[in-house]
Amino acid sequence: MTVRRTGRMPWAHRLGRAGWAAVLVALYLFLLAPILVVLVESFDDATYLRFPPQGFTFDAYGQVFANESFRLGIQVSGVTAAVTALLAMIAGVPAALALTRLRFRGRSAIEAAFLSPLLVPHIVLGLALLLILAPIPLTDTYWGLILAHLGVTVPYVVRTVSAALMSADPRAEEAARTLGASGFTAFRRITLPAIRSGLLSGGVIAFLLSFDETVISLFVSGQNTVPLPVAVLQYVEYRSDPSIASLSVLLVLLSVVVVVLVERGLGLRRSLRSG
Amino acid sequence: MGDTPHLVLSGLAKTYPGADGAAVRGIDLTVERGRILAVLGPSGCGKSTTLRLIAGLVAPTAGRIEVDGRDLTDVPVHRRDMGVVFQSYALFPHLDVARNVAFGLEMRAVGKAEVKRRVGEALELVRLGHLAGRRIAQLSGGQQQRVALARALVVEPSVLLLDEPLSNLDARLRSTMQDEIGRIQRETGITTVFVTHDQQEALSMADSVAVMNEGRIEQTGTPQDIYERPARPFVARFVGRANMVEGTSRGRDGERTLVELPGLGKVPAAGDPVETGRPATVMLRPHRIALAAAAPESGGARGTVLSAAYAGETVAYRVRLGDDGPVLDVERPTGSEASHGPGAEVALSWDPEAPRLVADPS
């Protein structure tokens, strides 16, 4: 009897793989179906939200940019998110350095404090921030929004930068010092490049989180500075038309574009995974 | 070269804040120009801290560091002019080989053309000229070690400091790099201090060896001094293998001290004399003891083989002296002489230089 060599896998094996693929597809469909519904609905020509849609038009996208509260909201959220991301990066690096490189009394308590905004419900944080910011008064201002957003974004920067620092050799900075670099030069020339991708992915996460932040913003914003998510909420309180769906699609696109750009250049996934 | 003190440590001590005891408890060391000093000791003995103190990476609690008579104790690390090769090599992963080596020169604001020339020379010195454009991650462990050496040497530091330079390499590469570091040190003539826990490395590479234990220097001397004339039991045990037999001094016998040892009778031992009647410890290296089948009527030291372990080039015996005396390790070369199985009665002998008196640390 001769053994036939074929490149084929045993049929049971192939069936198993097909089964796995089916499960994965079903899982992704379950996760993405709502977004798909929104995407389809964003091209409807009705003046109210309905599913399935009956017509096809790009009008809803035009309406997003025609709506002044949306335009202002995009501006408020954009500026807030950019400044928040920048400040979160500036604050996150020294915090991560201290938490990973120094040993001091209460280090783990401070580490826990840095991560606690991720655990406390945003509605509690929002209320607390309202009580603090109202008397200053910083409610309904850019700086109030930025301060509030920093609380929930700095922990992410601390995390991504700490992960990068942990995988970098602390002796490299010492080596630079022995070669004649001052403390600052050694940090800038050796440590900063080593944590660059962690820092930038932390910044991108901070930007996206801030741009998307709703609950806390709801508490600390007022009539003058209304970030986009709050503007959307106010809009759908009275109306529901496909322009909301179009706006949602645009927001998803923004996230995807930013993440893909960063992933291409920096390996966002890698720095998140090592965290 | 030689004989003029170049690096001098005096009373150097370091206690880390919050630590139980001192890491370094007041050490005095002198390294002559162009020589290699090995600081040898078990892990946690303070040898790495000593190296970091010299480099300026940690500040001493007490004591002085001088190079060429100049007090460097308070000079910050980046102005100290020490070449340091770290145990992990600590190369800069985002820079290529040439840029790694160039770093120290850039910090010294050396002109572009000269940087290029000196980086080239340094890479030739460590025989890596062909890899100048490589990324660090593409290099083997031995090549990374050479880059670290070139990076430290290119700035022509006054002293070269190596922290466990061979510990991250496999056995075969270790002996190659041992020769390479020796060659590079001879070619550059740079005063060198290296830290190691490996006694073979220390004995074969260094001009002098300082044996450290618990933050103190137990003994400083040439490799021969350290191995053949250990001043203390710790040195005898840590550097090479040693039988330590405790007995009582029975006075002088010419140049030597007679020591009454259990199972051996009176043995003449060289070394600092011990007063008659005082306890004395005698060291006997396992390979300096010869074994022969015991003839029934012969005198001298006799014993019974407890075990014999074949190890290729040598056989390691455990021999009990007399009927209930101490157990000695004996190491004999294979091939040239008869072997002895467990239970065999053997006569032990050694040349008169072999037994050494070793003072107790008290």
Side-chain angles (χ1 to χ4, degrees), chain A residues 169 171-172 174-175 177-181 189 193, chain B residues 52 77-78 86 88 90 92 94 106-108 151:
Chain A
D169 183 358
R171 297 274 183 258
E174 288 187 346
R177 303 270 284 128
T178 66
L179 289 165
R189 292 279 312 265
Chain B
R52 292 173 67 76
V77 49
H78 61 287
F86 290 83
S88 64
F92 310 138
H94 61 293
E106 286 168 15
M107 291 300 117
R108 282 162 177 73
R151 186 180 65 177

mmCIF file with all atom_site columns, all heavy atoms in Angstrom, chain A residues 169 171-172 174-175 177-181 189 193, chain B residues 52 77-78 86 88 90 92 94 106-108 151:
data_model
loop_
_atom_site.group_PDB
_atom_site.id
_atom_site.type_symbol
_atom_site.label_atom_id
_atom_site.label_alt_id
_atom_site.label_comp_id
_atom_site.label_asym_id
_atom_site.label_entity_id
_atom_site.label_seq_id
_atom_site.pdbx_PDB_ins_code
_atom_site.Cartn_x
_atom_site.Cartn_y
_atom_site.Cartn_z
_atom_site.occupancy
_atom_site.B_iso_or_equiv
_atom_site.pdbx_formal_charge
_atom_site.auth_seq_id
_atom_site.auth_comp_id
_atom_site.auth_asym_id
_atom_site.auth_atom_id
_atom_site.pdbx_PDB_model_num
ATOM 1   N N   . ASP A 1 169 ? 15.643 49.555 29.179 1.00 0.00 ? 169 ASP A N   1
ATOM 2   C CA  . ASP A 1 169 ? 16.701 49.279 30.152 1.00 0.00 ? 169 ASP A CA  1
ATOM 3   C C   . ASP A 1 169 ? 17.058 50.576 30.881 1.00 0.00 ? 169 ASP A C   1
ATOM 4   O O   . ASP A 1 169 ? 17.567 51.508 30.272 1.00 0.00 ? 169 ASP A O   1
ATOM 5   C CB  . ASP A 1 169 ? 17.932 48.729 29.411 1.00 0.00 ? 169 ASP A CB  1
ATOM 6   C CG  . ASP A 1 169 ? 19.057 48.350 30.366 1.00 0.00 ? 169 ASP A CG  1
ATOM 7   O OD1 . ASP A 1 169 ? 18.893 48.543 31.592 1.00 0.00 ? 169 ASP A OD1 1
ATOM 8   O OD2 . ASP A 1 169 ? 20.090 47.859 29.887 1.00 0.00 ? 169 ASP A OD2 1
ATOM 9   N N   . ARG A 1 171 ? 19.406 51.158 32.659 1.00 0.00 ? 171 ARG A N   1
ATOM 10  C CA  . ARG A 1 171 ? 20.865 51.362 32.624 1.00 0.00 ? 171 ARG A CA  1
ATOM 11  C C   . ARG A 1 171 ? 21.288 52.176 31.398 1.00 0.00 ? 171 ARG A C   1
ATOM 12  O O   . ARG A 1 171 ? 22.360 52.750 31.386 1.00 0.00 ? 171 ARG A O   1
ATOM 13  C CB  . ARG A 1 171 ? 21.581 50.016 32.609 1.00 0.00 ? 171 ARG A CB  1
ATOM 14  C CG  . ARG A 1 171 ? 21.354 49.178 33.845 1.00 0.00 ? 171 ARG A CG  1
ATOM 15  C CD  . ARG A 1 171 ? 22.344 49.547 34.944 1.00 0.00 ? 171 ARG A CD  1
ATOM 16  N NE  . ARG A 1 171 ? 22.183 48.707 36.115 1.00 0.00 ? 171 ARG A NE  1
ATOM 17  C CZ  . ARG A 1 171 ? 21.552 49.101 37.222 1.00 0.00 ? 171 ARG A CZ  1
ATOM 18  N NH1 . ARG A 1 171 ? 21.022 50.296 37.298 1.00 0.00 ? 171 ARG A NH1 1
ATOM 19  N NH2 . ARG A 1 171 ? 21.465 48.299 38.251 1.00 0.00 ? 171 ARG A NH2 1
ATOM 20  N N   . ALA A 1 172 ? 20.438 52.192 30.357 1.00 0.00 ? 172 ALA A N   1
ATOM 21  C CA  . ALA A 1 172 ? 20.814 52.932 29.150 1.00 0.00 ? 172 ALA A CA  1
ATOM 22  C C   . ALA A 1 172 ? 20.974 54.410 29.470 1.00 0.00 ? 172 ALA A C   1
ATOM 23  O O   . ALA A 1 172 ? 21.910 55.066 29.002 1.00 0.00 ? 172 ALA A O   1
ATOM 24  C CB  . ALA A 1 172 ? 19.780 52.724 28.047 1.00 0.00 ? 172 ALA A CB  1
ATOM 25  N N   . GLU A 1 174 ? 21.734 55.608 32.387 1.00 0.00 ? 174 GLU A N   1
ATOM 26  C CA  . GLU A 1 174 ? 22.961 55.719 33.191 1.00 0.00 ? 174 GLU A CA  1
ATOM 27  C C   . GLU A 1 174 ? 24.195 55.684 32.297 1.00 0.00 ? 174 GLU A C   1
ATOM 28  O O   . GLU A 1 174 ? 25.157 56.417 32.520 1.00 0.00 ? 174 GLU A O   1
ATOM 29  C CB  . GLU A 1 174 ? 23.029 54.581 34.208 1.00 0.00 ? 174 GLU A CB  1
ATOM 30  C CG  . GLU A 1 174 ? 22.039 54.736 35.345 1.00 0.00 ? 174 GLU A CG  1
ATOM 31  C CD  . GLU A 1 174 ? 22.249 53.691 36.435 1.00 0.00 ? 174 GLU A CD  1
ATOM 32  O OE1 . GLU A 1 174 ? 22.962 52.705 36.187 1.00 0.00 ? 174 GLU A OE1 1
ATOM 33  O OE2 . GLU A 1 174 ? 21.704 53.893 37.533 1.00 0.00 ? 174 GLU A OE2 1
ATOM 34  N N   . ALA A 1 175 ? 24.138 54.806 31.273 1.00 0.00 ? 175 ALA A N   1
ATOM 35  C CA  . ALA A 1 175 ? 25.270 54.729 30.351 1.00 0.00 ? 175 ALA A CA  1
ATOM 36  C C   . ALA A 1 175 ? 25.489 56.084 29.677 1.00 0.00 ? 175 ALA A C   1
ATOM 37  O O   . ALA A 1 175 ? 26.616 56.554 29.555 1.00 0.00 ? 175 ALA A O   1
ATOM 38  C CB  . ALA A 1 175 ? 25.019 53.638 29.304 1.00 0.00 ? 175 ALA A CB  1
ATOM 39  N N   . ARG A 1 177 ? 24.755 58.938 30.891 1.00 0.00 ? 177 ARG A N   1
ATOM 40  C CA  . ARG A 1 177 ? 25.329 59.847 31.888 1.00 0.00 ? 177 ARG A CA  1
ATOM 41  C C   . ARG A 1 177 ? 26.840 59.641 31.998 1.00 0.00 ? 177 ARG A C   1
ATOM 42  O O   . ARG A 1 177 ? 27.601 60.595 32.034 1.00 0.00 ? 177 ARG A O   1
ATOM 43  C CB  . ARG A 1 177 ? 24.678 59.617 33.260 1.00 0.00 ? 177 ARG A CB  1
ATOM 44  C CG  . ARG A 1 177 ? 23.181 59.762 33.258 1.00 0.00 ? 177 ARG A CG  1
ATOM 45  C CD  . ARG A 1 177 ? 22.731 61.179 33.543 1.00 0.00 ? 177 ARG A CD  1
ATOM 46  N NE  . ARG A 1 177 ? 22.844 61.539 34.935 1.00 0.00 ? 177 ARG A NE  1
ATOM 47  C CZ  . ARG A 1 177 ? 23.476 62.628 35.378 1.00 0.00 ? 177 ARG A CZ  1
ATOM 48  N NH1 . ARG A 1 177 ? 24.064 63.419 34.525 1.00 0.00 ? 177 ARG A NH1 1
ATOM 49  N NH2 . ARG A 1 177 ? 23.511 62.916 36.648 1.00 0.00 ? 177 ARG A NH2 1
ATOM 50  N N   . THR A 1 178 ? 27.276 58.362 32.029 1.00 0.00 ? 178 THR A N   1
ATOM 51  C CA  . THR A 1 178 ? 28.714 58.119 32.161 1.00 0.00 ? 178 THR A CA  1
ATOM 52  C C   . THR A 1 178 ? 29.459 58.591 30.924 1.00 0.00 ? 178 THR A C   1
ATOM 53  O O   . THR A 1 178 ? 30.653 58.850 30.980 1.00 0.00 ? 178 THR A O   1
ATOM 54  C CB  . THR A 1 178 ? 29.041 56.620 32.379 1.00 0.00 ? 178 THR A CB  1
ATOM 55  O OG1 . THR A 1 178 ? 28.677 55.897 31.198 1.00 0.00 ? 178 THR A OG1 1
ATOM 56  C CG2 . THR A 1 178 ? 28.297 56.060 33.564 1.00 0.00 ? 178 THR A CG2 1
ATOM 57  N N   . LEU A 1 179 ? 28.741 58.714 29.794 1.00 0.00 ? 179 LEU A N   1
ATOM 58  C CA  . LEU A 1 179 ? 29.396 59.166 28.563 1.00 0.00 ? 179 LEU A CA  1
ATOM 59  C C   . LEU A 1 179 ? 29.400 60.685 28.448 1.00 0.00 ? 179 LEU A C   1
ATOM 60  O O   . LEU A 1 179 ? 29.827 61.229 27.437 1.00 0.00 ? 179 LEU A O   1
ATOM 61  C CB  . LEU A 1 179 ? 28.705 58.548 27.349 1.00 0.00 ? 179 LEU A CB  1
ATOM 62  C CG  . LEU A 1 179 ? 28.955 57.047 27.188 1.00 0.00 ? 179 LEU A CG  1
ATOM 63  C CD1 . LEU A 1 179 ? 27.982 56.422 26.206 1.00 0.00 ? 179 LEU A CD1 1
ATOM 64  C CD2 . LEU A 1 179 ? 30.388 56.797 26.738 1.00 0.00 ? 179 LEU A CD2 1
ATOM 65  N N   . GLY A 1 180 ? 28.911 61.359 29.478 1.00 0.00 ? 180 GLY A N   1
ATOM 66  C CA  . GLY A 1 180 ? 29.029 62.806 29.486 1.00 0.00 ? 180 GLY A CA  1
ATOM 67  C C   . GLY A 1 180 ? 27.733 63.573 29.316 1.00 0.00 ? 180 GLY A C   1
ATOM 68  O O   . GLY A 1 180 ? 27.755 64.797 29.193 1.00 0.00 ? 180 GLY A O   1
ATOM 69  N N   . ALA A 1 181 ? 26.577 62.864 29.285 1.00 0.00 ? 181 ALA A N   1
ATOM 70  C CA  . ALA A 1 181 ? 25.307 63.570 29.114 1.00 0.00 ? 181 ALA A CA  1
ATOM 71  C C   . ALA A 1 181 ? 24.780 64.024 30.474 1.00 0.00 ? 181 ALA A C   1
ATOM 72  O O   . ALA A 1 181 ? 24.817 63.269 31.436 1.00 0.00 ? 181 ALA A O   1
ATOM 73  C CB  . ALA A 1 181 ? 24.289 62.642 28.437 1.00 0.00 ? 181 ALA A CB  1
ATOM 74  N N   . ARG A 1 189 ? 17.708 62.337 24.988 1.00 0.00 ? 189 ARG A N   1
ATOM 75  C CA  . ARG A 1 189 ? 18.335 61.596 23.894 1.00 0.00 ? 189 ARG A CA  1
ATOM 76  C C   . ARG A 1 189 ? 18.121 60.086 23.987 1.00 0.00 ? 189 ARG A C   1
ATOM 77  O O   . ARG A 1 189 ? 18.154 59.383 22.974 1.00 0.00 ? 189 ARG A O   1
ATOM 78  C CB  . ARG A 1 189 ? 19.854 61.880 23.881 1.00 0.00 ? 189 ARG A CB  1
ATOM 79  C CG  . ARG A 1 189 ? 20.234 63.305 23.509 1.00 0.00 ? 189 ARG A CG  1
ATOM 80  C CD  . ARG A 1 189 ? 20.209 63.524 22.004 1.00 0.00 ? 189 ARG A CD  1
ATOM 81  N NE  . ARG A 1 189 ? 20.909 62.487 21.261 1.00 0.00 ? 189 ARG A NE  1
ATOM 82  C CZ  . ARG A 1 189 ? 22.168 62.568 20.874 1.00 0.00 ? 189 ARG A CZ  1
ATOM 83  N NH1 . ARG A 1 189 ? 22.864 63.640 21.158 1.00 0.00 ? 189 ARG A NH1 1
ATOM 84  N NH2 . ARG A 1 189 ? 22.735 61.588 20.201 1.00 0.00 ? 189 ARG A NH2 1
ATOM 85  N N   . PRO A 1 193 ? 13.222 58.710 23.401 1.00 0.00 ? 193 PRO A N   1
ATOM 86  C CA  . PRO A 1 193 ? 12.999 57.870 22.214 1.00 0.00 ? 193 PRO A CA  1
ATOM 87  C C   . PRO A 1 193 ? 12.510 56.469 22.578 1.00 0.00 ? 193 PRO A C   1
ATOM 88  O O   . PRO A 1 193 ? 11.734 55.865 21.832 1.00 0.00 ? 193 PRO A O   1
ATOM 89  C CB  . PRO A 1 193 ? 14.382 57.807 21.558 1.00 0.00 ? 193 PRO A CB  1
ATOM 90  C CG  . PRO A 1 193 ? 15.106 59.004 22.062 1.00 0.00 ? 193 PRO A CG  1
ATOM 91  C CD  . PRO A 1 193 ? 14.585 59.263 23.446 1.00 0.00 ? 193 PRO A CD  1
ATOM 92  N N   . ARG B 2 52  ? 29.670 51.253 41.028 1.00 0.00 ? 52  ARG B N   1
ATOM 93  C CA  . ARG B 2 52  ? 28.773 52.390 40.805 1.00 0.00 ? 52  ARG B CA  1
ATOM 94  C C   . ARG B 2 52  ? 29.263 53.623 41.568 1.00 0.00 ? 52  ARG B C   1
ATOM 95  O O   . ARG B 2 52  ? 29.050 54.750 41.118 1.00 0.00 ? 52  ARG B O   1
ATOM 96  C CB  . ARG B 2 52  ? 27.342 52.027 41.199 1.00 0.00 ? 52  ARG B CB  1
ATOM 97  C CG  . ARG B 2 52  ? 26.729 50.968 40.256 1.00 0.00 ? 52  ARG B CG  1
ATOM 98  C CD  . ARG B 2 52  ? 25.380 50.458 40.725 1.00 0.00 ? 52  ARG B CD  1
ATOM 99  N NE  . ARG B 2 52  ? 24.345 51.485 40.678 1.00 0.00 ? 52  ARG B NE  1
ATOM 100 C CZ  . ARG B 2 52  ? 23.746 51.904 39.575 1.00 0.00 ? 52  ARG B CZ  1
ATOM 101 N NH1 . ARG B 2 52  ? 24.094 51.397 38.411 1.00 0.00 ? 52  ARG B NH1 1
ATOM 102 N NH2 . ARG B 2 52  ? 22.826 52.825 39.615 1.00 0.00 ? 52  ARG B NH2 1
ATOM 103 N N   . VAL B 2 77  ? 28.544 62.404 37.764 1.00 0.00 ? 77  VAL B N   1
ATOM 104 C CA  . VAL B 2 77  ? 28.837 61.275 36.885 1.00 0.00 ? 77  VAL B CA  1
ATOM 105 C C   . VAL B 2 77  ? 29.221 61.712 35.467 1.00 0.00 ? 77  VAL B C   1
ATOM 106 O O   . VAL B 2 77  ? 30.161 61.170 34.883 1.00 0.00 ? 77  VAL B O   1
ATOM 107 C CB  . VAL B 2 77  ? 27.640 60.286 36.864 1.00 0.00 ? 77  VAL B CB  1
ATOM 108 C CG1 . VAL B 2 77  ? 26.326 60.990 36.627 1.00 0.00 ? 77  VAL B CG1 1
ATOM 109 C CG2 . VAL B 2 77  ? 27.827 59.201 35.829 1.00 0.00 ? 77  VAL B CG2 1
ATOM 110 N N   . HIS B 2 78  ? 28.544 62.735 34.926 1.00 0.00 ? 78  HIS B N   1
ATOM 111 C CA  . HIS B 2 78  ? 28.804 63.049 33.517 1.00 0.00 ? 78  HIS B CA  1
ATOM 112 C C   . HIS B 2 78  ? 30.088 63.843 33.317 1.00 0.00 ? 78  HIS B C   1
ATOM 113 O O   . HIS B 2 78  ? 30.479 64.106 32.186 1.00 0.00 ? 78  HIS B O   1
ATOM 114 C CB  . HIS B 2 78  ? 27.609 63.758 32.878 1.00 0.00 ? 78  HIS B CB  1
ATOM 115 C CG  . HIS B 2 78  ? 27.252 65.067 33.502 1.00 0.00 ? 78  HIS B CG  1
ATOM 116 N ND1 . HIS B 2 78  ? 26.653 65.158 34.731 1.00 0.00 ? 78  HIS B ND1 1
ATOM 117 C CD2 . HIS B 2 78  ? 27.405 66.336 33.067 1.00 0.00 ? 78  HIS B CD2 1
ATOM 118 C CE1 . HIS B 2 78  ? 26.451 66.436 35.021 1.00 0.00 ? 78  HIS B CE1 1
ATOM 119 N NE2 . HIS B 2 78  ? 26.890 67.160 34.032 1.00 0.00 ? 78  HIS B NE2 1
ATOM 120 N N   . PHE B 2 86  ? 28.225 48.120 31.157 1.00 0.00 ? 86  PHE B N   1
ATOM 121 C CA  . PHE B 2 86  ? 27.237 47.566 32.076 1.00 0.00 ? 86  PHE B CA  1
ATOM 122 C C   . PHE B 2 86  ? 27.028 46.087 31.805 1.00 0.00 ? 86  PHE B C   1
ATOM 123 O O   . PHE B 2 86  ? 27.260 45.609 30.698 1.00 0.00 ? 86  PHE B O   1
ATOM 124 C CB  . PHE B 2 86  ? 25.906 48.310 31.928 1.00 0.00 ? 86  PHE B CB  1
ATOM 125 C CG  . PHE B 2 86  ? 25.961 49.725 32.448 1.00 0.00 ? 86  PHE B CG  1
ATOM 126 C CD1 . PHE B 2 86  ? 26.458 50.751 31.655 1.00 0.00 ? 86  PHE B CD1 1
ATOM 127 C CD2 . PHE B 2 86  ? 25.525 50.019 33.724 1.00 0.00 ? 86  PHE B CD2 1
ATOM 128 C CE1 . PHE B 2 86  ? 26.516 52.048 32.132 1.00 0.00 ? 86  PHE B CE1 1
ATOM 129 C CE2 . PHE B 2 86  ? 25.578 51.312 34.208 1.00 0.00 ? 86  PHE B CE2 1
ATOM 130 C CZ  . PHE B 2 86  ? 26.075 52.333 33.409 1.00 0.00 ? 86  PHE B CZ  1
ATOM 131 N N   . SER B 2 88  ? 24.262 44.555 31.469 1.00 0.00 ? 88  SER B N   1
ATOM 132 C CA  . SER B 2 88  ? 23.263 44.382 30.410 1.00 0.00 ? 88  SER B CA  1
ATOM 133 C C   . SER B 2 88  ? 23.694 45.070 29.116 1.00 0.00 ? 88  SER B C   1
ATOM 134 O O   . SER B 2 88  ? 22.928 45.143 28.175 1.00 0.00 ? 88  SER B O   1
ATOM 135 C CB  . SER B 2 88  ? 21.927 44.961 30.869 1.00 0.00 ? 88  SER B CB  1
ATOM 136 O OG  . SER B 2 88  ? 22.052 46.364 31.064 1.00 0.00 ? 88  SER B OG  1
ATOM 137 N N   . ALA B 2 90  ? 23.517 47.893 28.183 1.00 0.00 ? 90  ALA B N   1
ATOM 138 C CA  . ALA B 2 90  ? 22.832 49.186 28.194 1.00 0.00 ? 90  ALA B CA  1
ATOM 139 C C   . ALA B 2 90  ? 23.088 49.976 26.915 1.00 0.00 ? 90  ALA B C   1
ATOM 140 O O   . ALA B 2 90  ? 23.322 51.171 26.936 1.00 0.00 ? 90  ALA B O   1
ATOM 141 C CB  . ALA B 2 90  ? 23.263 50.006 29.423 1.00 0.00 ? 90  ALA B CB  1
ATOM 142 N N   . PHE B 2 92  ? 22.006 51.744 23.301 1.00 0.00 ? 92  PHE B N   1
ATOM 143 C CA  . PHE B 2 92  ? 20.844 52.562 22.961 1.00 0.00 ? 92  PHE B CA  1
ATOM 144 C C   . PHE B 2 92  ? 20.117 51.901 21.791 1.00 0.00 ? 92  PHE B C   1
ATOM 145 O O   . PHE B 2 92  ? 20.612 51.939 20.659 1.00 0.00 ? 92  PHE B O   1
ATOM 146 C CB  . PHE B 2 92  ? 21.288 53.977 22.594 1.00 0.00 ? 92  PHE B CB  1
ATOM 147 C CG  . PHE B 2 92  ? 22.213 54.591 23.623 1.00 0.00 ? 92  PHE B CG  1
ATOM 148 C CD1 . PHE B 2 92  ? 23.333 55.313 23.238 1.00 0.00 ? 92  PHE B CD1 1
ATOM 149 C CD2 . PHE B 2 92  ? 21.955 54.444 24.988 1.00 0.00 ? 92  PHE B CD2 1
ATOM 150 C CE1 . PHE B 2 92  ? 24.180 55.877 24.190 1.00 0.00 ? 92  PHE B CE1 1
ATOM 151 C CE2 . PHE B 2 92  ? 22.788 55.005 25.946 1.00 0.00 ? 92  PHE B CE2 1
ATOM 152 C CZ  . PHE B 2 92  ? 23.908 55.721 25.541 1.00 0.00 ? 92  PHE B CZ  1
ATOM 153 N N   . HIS B 2 94  ? 17.630 52.566 19.938 1.00 0.00 ? 94  HIS B N   1
ATOM 154 C CA  . HIS B 2 94  ? 17.104 53.327 18.800 1.00 0.00 ? 94  HIS B CA  1
ATOM 155 C C   . HIS B 2 94  ? 18.217 53.881 17.925 1.00 0.00 ? 94  HIS B C   1
ATOM 156 O O   . HIS B 2 94  ? 17.934 54.525 16.919 1.00 0.00 ? 94  HIS B O   1
ATOM 157 C CB  . HIS B 2 94  ? 16.199 54.448 19.287 1.00 0.00 ? 94  HIS B CB  1
ATOM 158 C CG  . HIS B 2 94  ? 16.901 55.445 20.169 1.00 0.00 ? 94  HIS B CG  1
ATOM 159 N ND1 . HIS B 2 94  ? 17.374 55.108 21.419 1.00 0.00 ? 94  HIS B ND1 1
ATOM 160 C CD2 . HIS B 2 94  ? 17.226 56.729 19.981 1.00 0.00 ? 94  HIS B CD2 1
ATOM 161 C CE1 . HIS B 2 94  ? 17.956 56.175 21.965 1.00 0.00 ? 94  HIS B CE1 1
ATOM 162 N NE2 . HIS B 2 94  ? 17.884 57.169 21.113 1.00 0.00 ? 94  HIS B NE2 1
ATOM 163 N N   . GLU B 2 106 ? 29.808 62.991 20.801 1.00 0.00 ? 106 GLU B N   1
ATOM 164 C CA  . GLU B 2 106 ? 28.844 64.079 20.560 1.00 0.00 ? 106 GLU B CA  1
ATOM 165 C C   . GLU B 2 106 ? 28.645 64.899 21.829 1.00 0.00 ? 106 GLU B C   1
ATOM 166 O O   . GLU B 2 106 ? 28.523 66.126 21.789 1.00 0.00 ? 106 GLU B O   1
ATOM 167 C CB  . GLU B 2 106 ? 27.507 63.498 20.084 1.00 0.00 ? 106 GLU B CB  1
ATOM 168 C CG  . GLU B 2 106 ? 27.546 63.001 18.652 1.00 0.00 ? 106 GLU B CG  1
ATOM 169 C CD  . GLU B 2 106 ? 26.321 62.165 18.295 1.00 0.00 ? 106 GLU B CD  1
ATOM 170 O OE1 . GLU B 2 106 ? 25.325 62.199 19.042 1.00 0.00 ? 106 GLU B OE1 1
ATOM 171 O OE2 . GLU B 2 106 ? 26.381 61.464 17.265 1.00 0.00 ? 106 GLU B OE2 1
ATOM 172 N N   . MET B 2 107 ? 28.614 64.218 22.988 1.00 0.00 ? 107 MET B N   1
ATOM 173 C CA  . MET B 2 107 ? 28.461 64.925 24.266 1.00 0.00 ? 107 MET B CA  1
ATOM 174 C C   . MET B 2 107 ? 29.663 65.832 24.539 1.00 0.00 ? 107 MET B C   1
ATOM 175 O O   . MET B 2 107 ? 29.576 66.800 25.254 1.00 0.00 ? 107 MET B O   1
ATOM 176 C CB  . MET B 2 107 ? 28.318 63.922 25.419 1.00 0.00 ? 107 MET B CB  1
ATOM 177 C CG  . MET B 2 107 ? 27.019 63.160 25.410 1.00 0.00 ? 107 MET B CG  1
ATOM 178 S SD  . MET B 2 107 ? 25.581 64.228 25.530 1.00 0.00 ? 107 MET B SD  1
ATOM 179 C CE  . MET B 2 107 ? 24.791 63.895 23.963 1.00 0.00 ? 107 MET B CE  1
ATOM 180 N N   . ARG B 2 108 ? 30.787 65.486 23.945 1.00 0.00 ? 108 ARG B N   1
ATOM 181 C CA  . ARG B 2 108 ? 31.999 66.287 24.138 1.00 0.00 ? 108 ARG B CA  1
ATOM 182 C C   . ARG B 2 108 ? 32.188 67.291 23.009 1.00 0.00 ? 108 ARG B C   1
ATOM 183 O O   . ARG B 2 108 ? 33.253 67.892 22.894 1.00 0.00 ? 108 ARG B O   1
ATOM 184 C CB  . ARG B 2 108 ? 33.214 65.370 24.224 1.00 0.00 ? 108 ARG B CB  1
ATOM 185 C CG  . ARG B 2 108 ? 33.350 64.688 25.569 1.00 0.00 ? 108 ARG B CG  1
ATOM 186 C CD  . ARG B 2 108 ? 34.281 63.487 25.487 1.00 0.00 ? 108 ARG B CD  1
ATOM 187 N NE  . ARG B 2 108 ? 34.481 62.874 26.782 1.00 0.00 ? 108 ARG B NE  1
ATOM 188 C CZ  . ARG B 2 108 ? 33.566 62.138 27.418 1.00 0.00 ? 108 ARG B CZ  1
ATOM 189 N NH1 . ARG B 2 108 ? 32.402 61.927 26.857 1.00 0.00 ? 108 ARG B NH1 1
ATOM 190 N NH2 . ARG B 2 108 ? 33.829 61.611 28.596 1.00 0.00 ? 108 ARG B NH2 1
ATOM 191 N N   . ARG B 2 151 ? 32.037 51.841 22.768 1.00 0.00 ? 151 ARG B N   1
ATOM 192 C CA  . ARG B 2 151 ? 31.361 53.066 23.184 1.00 0.00 ? 151 ARG B CA  1
ATOM 193 C C   . ARG B 2 151 ? 32.030 53.667 24.424 1.00 0.00 ? 151 ARG B C   1
ATOM 194 O O   . ARG B 2 151 ? 32.157 54.881 24.558 1.00 0.00 ? 151 ARG B O   1
ATOM 195 C CB  . ARG B 2 151 ? 29.885 52.757 23.488 1.00 0.00 ? 151 ARG B CB  1
ATOM 196 C CG  . ARG B 2 151 ? 29.053 53.975 23.788 1.00 0.00 ? 151 ARG B CG  1
ATOM 197 C CD  . ARG B 2 151 ? 27.616 53.606 24.083 1.00 0.00 ? 151 ARG B CD  1
ATOM 198 N NE  . ARG B 2 151 ? 27.503 52.806 25.306 1.00 0.00 ? 151 ARG B NE  1
ATOM 199 C CZ  . ARG B 2 151 ? 26.345 52.405 25.824 1.00 0.00 ? 151 ARG B CZ  1
ATOM 200 N NH1 . ARG B 2 151 ? 25.218 52.682 25.205 1.00 0.00 ? 151 ARG B NH1 1
ATOM 201 N NH2 . ARG B 2 151 ? 26.326 51.698 26.932 1.00 0.00 ? 151 ARG B NH2 1
#
